[in-house]
Amino acid sequence: RKEVEQDPGPFNVPEGATVAFNCTYSNSASQSFFWYRQDCRKEPKLLMSVYSSGNEDGRFTAQLNRASQYISLLIRDSKLSDSATYLCVVIPSAYSGGGADGLTFGKGTHLIIQP
Amino acid sequence: DVKVTQSSRYLVKRTGEKVFLECVQDMDHENMFWYRQDPGLGLRLIYFSYDVKMKEKGDIPEGYSVSREKKERFSLILESASTNQTSMYLCASSQDGSSYNEQFFGPGTRLTVL
């Protein structure tokens, strides 16, 4: 059974702090990983892809640990505007030519940045 | 600018009614998806389409059907709405043939079945 697990939180973090949360997956054949952000009562939007070597986009760093089967998201110098739910997405293949088998969203981690 | 639109933001229907949820994308994407999102359960895939007239079942297809007659339009149909189908429904699209596979979501339709 495919599973993607996230700590639902909420994570209450003071403004300016660094926060990190993980997403574990059970399918070792998983190939593509993403973090999406969803604001309250809005649709999810892509935050960043997760590459094998890890990647950074401003204050955000995403990492992949294949051995332990998890991805992580690190947010530095957190802002009030970072308050949102962060969803991880795991896809088992390079996903070309159609097919959604195994495409799985985590249930999300709720982050609240406090002033 | 990339855009996915859904026909209604809020919809109230009665048990037993046939319900149509429409989704249109203007990005010429091959793939289109229907999800429902419920508190504590997250996003769950209902149906997926990778081409016109093609469809695949997702994780929870029971009670739903879909139609894709044109590339830009993907419809979700509740043949006989039930109260347990009260949910937020999200449509998404993505480009085929790429490992990037960003999904672009519509604003969602909050459906209440009474």
Side-chain angles (χ1 to χ4, degrees), chain B residues 87-102:
Chain B
S87 185
M88 170 67 84
Y89 289 88
L90 288 157
C91 174
S93 72
S94 71
Q95 192 170 18
D96 198 13
S98 167
S99 60
Y100 185 53
N101 290 318
E102 176 180 0

Side-chain angles (χ1 to χ4, degrees), chain A residues 46-101:
Chain A
L46 181 68
L47 177 65
M48 57 198 304
S49 303
V50 185
Y51 303 128
S52 296
S53 56
N55 48 299
E56 190 174 304
D57 183 3
R59 297 181 293 108
F60 297 83
T61 300
Q63 291 193 314
L64 167 64
N65 186 317
R66 284 197 184 275
S68 300
Q69 295 184 200
Y70 72 88
I71 61 172
S72 64
L73 180 67
L74 179 86
I75 306 174
R76 288 181 298 278
D77 187 24
S78 54
K79 313 289 185 191
L80 295 176
S81 58
D82 294 334
S83 298
T85 297
Y86 291 85
L87 308 170
C88 65
V89 178
V90 176
I91 303 176
S93 69
Y95 188 42
S96 60
D101 187 37

Side-chain angles (χ1 to χ4, degrees), chain A residues 33-51:
Chain A
F33 309 88
F34 306 89
W35 284 104
Y36 278 71
R37 171 194 169 124
Q38 186 173 24
D39 294 308
C40 187
R41 301 185 186 281
K42 298 283 190 179
E43 71 274 20
K45 292 184 179 179
L46 181 68
L47 177 65
M48 57 198 304
S49 303
V50 185
Y51 303 128

Side-chain angles (χ1 to χ4, degrees), chain B residues 39-96:
Chain B
L41 297 177
L43 274 163
R44 293 180 290 168
L45 182 64
I46 304 171
Y47 265 99
F48 161 68
S49 170
Y50 56 91
D51 202 351
V52 175
K53 296 190 186 296
M54 305 303 287
K55 61 184 179 185
E56 285 189 14
K57 294 179 180 179
D59 297 322
I60 51 164
E62 296 78 19
Y64 303 94
S65 61
V66 290
S67 173
R68 192 156 180 212
E69 297 296 319
K70 293 184 177 181
K71 190 176 185 180
E72 67 271 18
R73 188 180 298 269
F74 192 34
S75 303
L76 181 69
I77 303 151
L78 287 65
E79 295 290 341
S80 177
S82 62
T83 54
N84 62 14
Q85 293 178 309
T86 291
S87 185
M88 170 67 84
Y89 289 88
L90 288 157
C91 174
S93 72
S94 71
Q95 192 170 18
D96 198 13

Side-chain angles (χ1 to χ4, degrees), chain A residues 1-15:
Chain A
R1 167 172 165 73
K2 56 187 179 186
E3 274 193 25
V4 176
E5 302 283 347
Q6 292 185 256
D7 184 338
F11 283 45
N12 289 283
V13 175
E15 190 176 10

